[in-house]
Amino acid sequence: MTNEEKKTPSEDILNKKWDLCLSNLLVKSGIGLSVGIVASALIFKKKSWPIAMSTGFGIGVAYAECQRTFNPTAIPGVKIIKPPPS
Amino acid sequence: MLGAIRQATRVRPANLFSSNVMRRQHFLQTRKRIYSTETTSKSTSDISKATTNEATPFKGAPPIETVKGELKTNNVVKEELAKKKGFGFGKFILGITIFGGIAYGGAIYYSLKNEDFRDAFVEYIYGAEKSVEYVEDLQRQGTFEQIGKNVKQFKNNTYDKGKDVINRVNQIFKQPDIVKVPIEIVKEIKERQIELPEDPILLKLAYTLNELIDILDNYDVKDKDDLIKRAKEELKELGTRIDLLKIEDQVRSQAHMAEQNEKYNQLYVSKEGELKQQFEDEKKRIYEQFKSELARESARNNEELKNELVKQSVELQRRWIRDVKFMVEKERGGRLARLDNINHHLKMLERISVDNAEHLDDSLKTHRLWCTLRALQNAVEQPDRIPFSNQIAAMRHLSSTDEIVTTVLSTIDDNVANNGVDSISDLSARFATVREEVRRASLVPENGGVFAHLLSIMFSKILFQKHGLAEGSDVESILARVQYHLNENDLDTATRELNQLKGWPKKLAEDWIKAARNHLEIKQAIEVIETQATLSSLSVV
C-alpha cells in the first residue's frame, strides 16, 4: 500500500499539483491576512492597507510556488537553451 | 596223236626239267633275234626253227634238218668273214655308218621318251630337230603301230605255217604206227604194265620199267614179252629181298635197342637216386634259406607296416583334428553370426525404445508446456490483476531445453510477473479517466505556467468531443481514435495511437501506456509460446 501511495498515477499528477497550489494559496493568503491584521492593529493604527498588502504577499508567494510546481524549469533569471537539433 | 599226249603226261621229272631249260634257251634266242633290227627274215626263219625245236624233243626222234641248217649258216658266216678281210676300209665305213645310224636312231627314240634328253639332243646335234619331228609325225600318224601290227601278223603267219609243217611231218611219221596198233593192243599194253610197289626205290624202278615197256611197245622188238616177264620176276625178287633185309634189320635193331634200354635203365636208376638225393639236399637247403628269408622279410614287412600304420594313424588324427576344428569354427561362426543378428535386433529395439521414450518425453513436455501456458493465459485474462510469477517459474523449469521459450520468458519482467497485468476491460475503464485528464491538459503549451493550465482547463470544457475514426493529429482526434480502437478491442493500435501524444498529455497518459504495453508484451509472449507448443506438439505427433 505504501508503494501505491508513493506512485501516483500519471493522470493524477496535475490534479495533485492543483491541490497543492490551492492549499498553498489558502495557507499563504491566510498567513498574509493575519499578519496584515496584526500589523495594522498594532503598528499602523488600525489602517486597512497593511492587511491587503500582506494578504497580497501571501497570494504572491503561493502563486510563485504554484508556478514552480507546474514548471520547475522556469526559474527567473535562468533560461534553458535547447540543444540545436542535429 | 593220243600216244604223244600220253607220253607228255608221263614224262619223268628230270626229263621235264631238261626240256624246260631247253625251251627257255630257245625263247631267249628268239627274243634276241626278233629285237635285232638287222634281218627280220632271218629271225622269222629262226622262229620257225625254234618252233620245230620245241615240238621235236617230245617225239623221241632228233630234228636232223635243223642241225643241218645251223651248220649251213655257220658256213655262210665263215665265208663272209673271209670276204671282208679283203675290204678293210669298206668294212670300217660300213661299221661306222651302222653304228652311227643305230646311235642316231636310239637317240631319236630316247628323245621321244625323255623331254630333257630331247632338249639337249635338239640343241647340240645338227638336223636332230627335223628328224625328231618327223618321227613324232610318224608316231602320230600311227605308222609304227601299223608296222608293229604287220610284224606281228607276219610272225603269226610264219608260226602257223611252221605248225602246219610240223603236223604234216608228224603225220608222215606216225601214220604207220597208228594204223598198225589198234585200240585192243593199247589196252593190252596197259595190262602188261607193272603193278606199282610200295617201296619208293622200287616205285622209281617200276616207273622206269614201265617207261621201258612203253618204249618197247612203241618199237617192234623181239621177245619183248619175255623180257618184260623177266623184269617183273626180278622186280618181285628184289622186293622180297628188300623185305627180308628189312625184317633182319628190324630184329637186329630190336636186340640192340633192348640191350641199350637195359643199360640206360640201370644208369637211369642210379642217376635218379643220386639226383633225388641231390634234389632233396638242395630242397632242404633252399627251404631253409627261404624260411630264414621269409622270416626276415616278414619281420621287415611287419616293421614297415607298423610304421606305416603309425604314420597313417597320425595323419588321420591330424585330419580329424583339422576337420573338428573346422566344424567347430563353422558352428561358432554360425552362432556368432546369429548372436550378431540378435545384437543388431537388440540395438534396433533399444533405439526404438529410446526413440519412443524421447517421443514420450517430448509429448509429456509439450503437454506440460500446454498446461502451464493455459494457466498463464488464464492468469493473464482474469479481470483482476493476478500475479503469474509461479506459472512463469514452472514454465521456465519445464522447458529449460527449449531456447525459444526460455528467451521469451527472459523478456518478461519480474515486476510485471509479480504484480500481474491489467486486463483490457480494466485498461478501457482507466482510459476514461485518462481521457478526461488528457483533454484538460490538451491546450497547455510546453513550459506553460499556472495560468496556462487554468486556461486549458477552462477552454477544454468548451471543446467539442470527437467520436470514431477522426482524422488529424490533434489531441482530441487521437483520443477519439484510441477510444474507437479500445471499443474495437484492439489494444495494440490504441496504444500506438496514444503514444503519439506529446507534452503534458503524453505525461498524463504514460502510466496507462505502460500498463497496456505490459499487457501486450505478456500477450505476445503467450502467443509465441503457444506457437512453439503447437509446433512441438506437431513435431511430436
Side-chain angles (χ1 to χ4, degrees), chain A residues 8-11 13-15 17-18 63 66-67 70-71 73 82, chain B residues 430 437 440-441 447 449-451 453-454 457 504 507-508 510-511:
Chain A
T8 42
S10 60
E11 61 262 29
I13 292 169
L14 277 178
N15 292 338
K17 285 186 200 287
W18 279 121
Y63 169 75
C66 198
Q67 187 78 3
F70 275 108
N71 194 358
T73 55
K82 277 189 180 177
Chain B
R430 194 178 164 186
E437 296 299 326
R440 254 189 236 166
N447 302 324
V450 183
F451 289 106
H453 280 276
L454 268 175
I457 288 163
W504 277 108
K507 267 182 193 165
L508 295 176
E510 216 154 48
D511 265 11

Side-chain angles (χ1 to χ4, degrees), chain B residues 430-442:
Chain B
R430 194 178 164 186
F431 181 69
T433 55
V434 171
R435 187 182 181 183
E436 275 307 308
E437 296 299 326
V438 166
R439 200 197 288 153
R440 254 189 236 166
S442 63

